[in-house]
Structures are given as structure tokens and as C-alpha cells.
Amino acid sequence: MSASLLETVDVDAPVAVAWELWSDVARWPAFLSHVRLVERMDQRRFAWQLALPGADKNFVAELTEVIPQDRIAWHTVEGVHHAGVVTFHRLSDTTSRVTLQIEYDPQGFVEHLGALTNLDSTLANYDLGEFQKLAATVAAERAAG
């Protein structure tokens, strides 16, 4: 059974700031609550360590598309099946919309339960809220000079 989620958040930050934060893998654990560590292996591949409810996961993901200030897409090449895309949309000079879409194969009872009960969407919404706070803080600091 394949599962998917689609979540969107509007941020008080220009697309350039949202893009910069999301494209810096070292920052991901600051706003993705289930991500313990992301290490760059080369220009296109990253090793991930996740702490999910009921399971820890390790996998290698490869970037499949990178269009600056527009989209980042990936899929896994080792470990769990997972693919996704984050897109960035300009709403105004100071606000943007970030959309996250993920396709994955839940493994085991806890992951199937998470997919069936929308716990996965709840976690994604929480993480996007953390990203929203971080982006707004960084944008405000830059505007203050």
C-alpha cells in the first residue's frame, strides 16, 4: 500500500529566504522534528537518519530535480521507498508559500496506522509550522539589517 501527503504553509519570508533555508540540509533537523541527521554524501545524494513514532529509519535519498527558488525533488535509492517534492511560490515581496508532497510505502503496523489516521499529515503540518517560524525569524533579522 502506497501512501501520500500534500501539505502547504504560507510564510512571512520572501521565496529567496524560504529556498535558502530548505536547500541547506544542515538546517533540516531544526525544523523537521523526525529528522535526526542529514549528511551530504556528494552533490546529489544524502544519508538520512529519522526517528519516527515506533521506528527509526535510515535511507539514502538522491536529488532528482533542483530549480533554484522553485522546487526540490528527490527519491530514495537505498532503504525505505520515499519520494517527494517541495515547491516555493511567491505571494508578495515578503511572503511565500511552501508546498510539500511526499509519496511513501508504510512498513509495519505503526507506519500503516500513521498513514490511515493521518498522523503523517499531522507531523508534516507541525514540521511546516516550525519551518514557518524559522523562515519568519530569519526574514525579520535580515530586514532589520
Side-chain angles (χ1 to χ4, degrees):
M1 171 184 125
S2 182
S4 64
L5 64 88
L6 175 65
E7 302 296 335
T8 299
V9 66
D10 292 348
V11 297
D12 291 328
V15 166
V17 171
W19 165 265
E20 178 186 324
L21 293 173
W22 202 285
S23 64
D24 180 1
V25 299
R27 287 189 181 254
W28 289 351
F31 61 86
L32 298 175
S33 61
H34 56 283
V35 176
R36 272 201 219 147
L37 180 66
V38 180
E39 292 181 332
R40 181 181 290 272
M41 299 171 71
D42 57 36
Q43 280 299 101
R44 299 204 66 81
R45 295 181 309 135
F46 301 87
W48 291 63
Q49 292 179 4
L50 305 182
L52 298 167
D56 289 343
K57 299 283 181 181
N58 296 309
F59 61 89
V60 175
E62 178 179 63
L63 297 174
T64 57
E65 185 178 26
V66 178
I67 301 172
Q69 297 188 25
D70 184 45
R71 64 190 291 120
I72 301 170
W74 67 91
H75 68 99
T76 55
V77 294
E78 292 177 28
V80 298
H81 171 71
H82 174 100
V85 61
V86 178
T87 56
F88 305 85
H89 312 272
R90 180 188 184 278
L91 299 178
S92 74
D93 288 346
T94 59
T95 59
S96 56
R97 177 168 292 151
V98 177
T99 301
L100 172 66
Q101 183 175 356
I102 297 176
E103 301 285 332
Y104 61 102
D105 279 333
Q107 302 295 314
F109 176 76
V110 172
E111 289 183 31
H112 281 285
L113 185 63
L116 290 171
T117 62
N118 289 326
L119 177 60
D120 298 338
S121 289
T122 301
L123 289 173
N125 268 316
Y126 174 82
D127 289 347
L128 287 176
E130 293 300 300
F131 178 78
Q132 182 182 45
K133 290 181 217 171
L134 177 63
T137 300
V138 170
E141 288 171 355
R142 290 187 182 170

